[in-house]
Amino acid sequence: GESGGEEGKKAVRVRTPTKLEARIMAAARKRQRGNIVQKQVVWGKEYTGTAFLPEPKVVHFLDFTVNKPMRIRLVLTNVSLTFNMFKLLELDDDIKDFFEFKFTPPGRMSAGMTCSILITFLPKTERDIHSQIRLLAQTGPVNIPLICTSRKALPRIDNPVCDVGDVVLGEERTGYIEVVNDGDLSVSCAVINLTEPKPEDDDEEAPAGAGGGAKALGPIGLDADDEPAGSARGTARGSARA
């Protein structure tokens, strides 16, 4: 009786897979979950474009400050021909800890349906980021540019050549240059004269009007808040002689 019971138990026992078999089955399940890409054909027409249209087209966290969170809402619209779905893939390893994505997975989305994703960015360093938000849709991958730029001072000169025209002997004319700060941080700059004339001999008195050319100008304050676009204007005035 006991031997018969033992045999009965052995007959219904499920064999434990080997380590190799377990690895093969786990890999197969992973491929099945991840491999959702397939052709989309409606009325004989295959859709080959980008399945989800992002708004905004570029996720740009502009002028961020370390340890100050910023948020952008990304809206994805299914612009394919029929039902579609997407999977949000991980960001690059060196930046994934700076971002948080909050959304309700919509599953299968009909054409024209939207999904909203709230993206929170918590910068830990002042290093700029240029990466991508990667989605895997049924019709293929979708990549959305992800850019994060820290606050900077970005001075520029609109008119690098200051032309005062023809100048006759003894005449003084005035020219202007415009220095603009396109950044978010204030900055100061100075105009120096790179064409100073050579000093005259100590025994000779310099003639009146000598030492022409543009005069050096002291520091100019370029405040980022002067204009809506974060620009400011400084002018340099100098004289020129024939």
Side-chain angles (χ1 to χ4, degrees):
E2 293 182 0
S3 61
E6 291 289 337
E7 291 177 359
K9 290 181 180 179
K10 291 180 181 178
V12 297
R13 189 176 59 184
V14 178
R15 183 176 66 85
T16 302
T18 64
K19 291 182 178 180
L20 177 60
E21 291 172 336
R23 285 199 300 267
I24 293 174
M25 288 188 291
R29 286 194 296 268
K30 185 176 180 180
R31 286 196 302 270
Q32 184 178 12
R33 288 195 301 267
N35 187 22
I36 63 174
V37 177
Q38 59 187 19
K39 291 183 179 181
Q40 186 185 93
V41 181
V42 177
W43 297 104
K45 180 180 180 181
E46 180 182 353
Y47 185 80
T48 58
T50 301
F52 289 91
L53 180 68
E55 180 58 41
K57 291 182 173 61
V58 178
V59 177
H60 189 181
F61 291 93
L62 178 65
D63 298 332
F64 69 79
T65 303
V66 173
N67 292 325
K68 183 178 180 181
M70 302 178 71
R71 294 175 177 84
I72 290 179
R73 186 170 295 278
L74 175 67
V75 178
L76 301 172
T77 303
N78 177 13
V79 294
S80 65
L81 300 176
T82 184
F83 288 96
N84 212 319
M85 60 185 298
F86 70 87
K87 177 182 179 182
L88 179 62
L89 304 180
E90 278 196 352
L91 297 174
D92 296 330
D93 290 340
D94 58 337
I95 65 170
K96 65 181 182 181
D97 293 335
F98 302 154
F99 296 89
E100 182 183 50
F101 296 82
K102 284 188 177 181
F103 71 107
T104 301
R108 296 182 73 226
M109 299 171 58
S110 60
M113 185 177 175
T114 62
C115 175
S116 178
I117 302 176
L118 181 62
I119 306 172
T120 301
F121 171 49
L122 182 58
K124 298 297 184 182
T125 67
E126 292 187 351
R127 180 175 64 93
D128 290 352
I129 294 175
H130 295 269
S131 186
Q132 291 181 330
I133 299 172
R134 289 182 284 270
L135 310 174
L136 183 60
Q138 279 186 303
T139 50
V142 179
N143 297 322
I144 305 168
L146 174 63
I147 301 174
C148 307
T149 51
S150 60
R151 301 173 67 211
K152 296 179 179 67
L154 301 172
R156 62 180 171 84
I157 299 177
D158 280 340
N159 52 333
V161 178
C162 183
D163 186 4
V164 297
D166 296 330
V167 183
V168 300
L169 183 63
E171 180 184 6
E172 183 177 289
R173 308 191 80 177
T174 301
Y176 295 90
I177 61 172
E178 185 176 66
V179 184
V180 180
N181 179 18
D182 289 328
D184 193 57
L185 291 179
S186 300
V187 67
S188 63
C189 64
V191 179
I192 60 174
N193 193 342
L194 298 180
T195 58
E196 284 288 346
K198 294 182 179 180
E200 303 290 342
D201 294 337
D202 294 339
D203 296 335
E204 297 182 7
E205 182 179 353
K215 298 179 182 179
L217 186 68
I220 305 171
L222 299 178
D223 295 329
D225 297 330
D226 280 358
E227 295 183 13
S231 62
R233 176 179 299 182
T235 58
R237 178 176 178 175
S239 60
R241 66 178 181 84

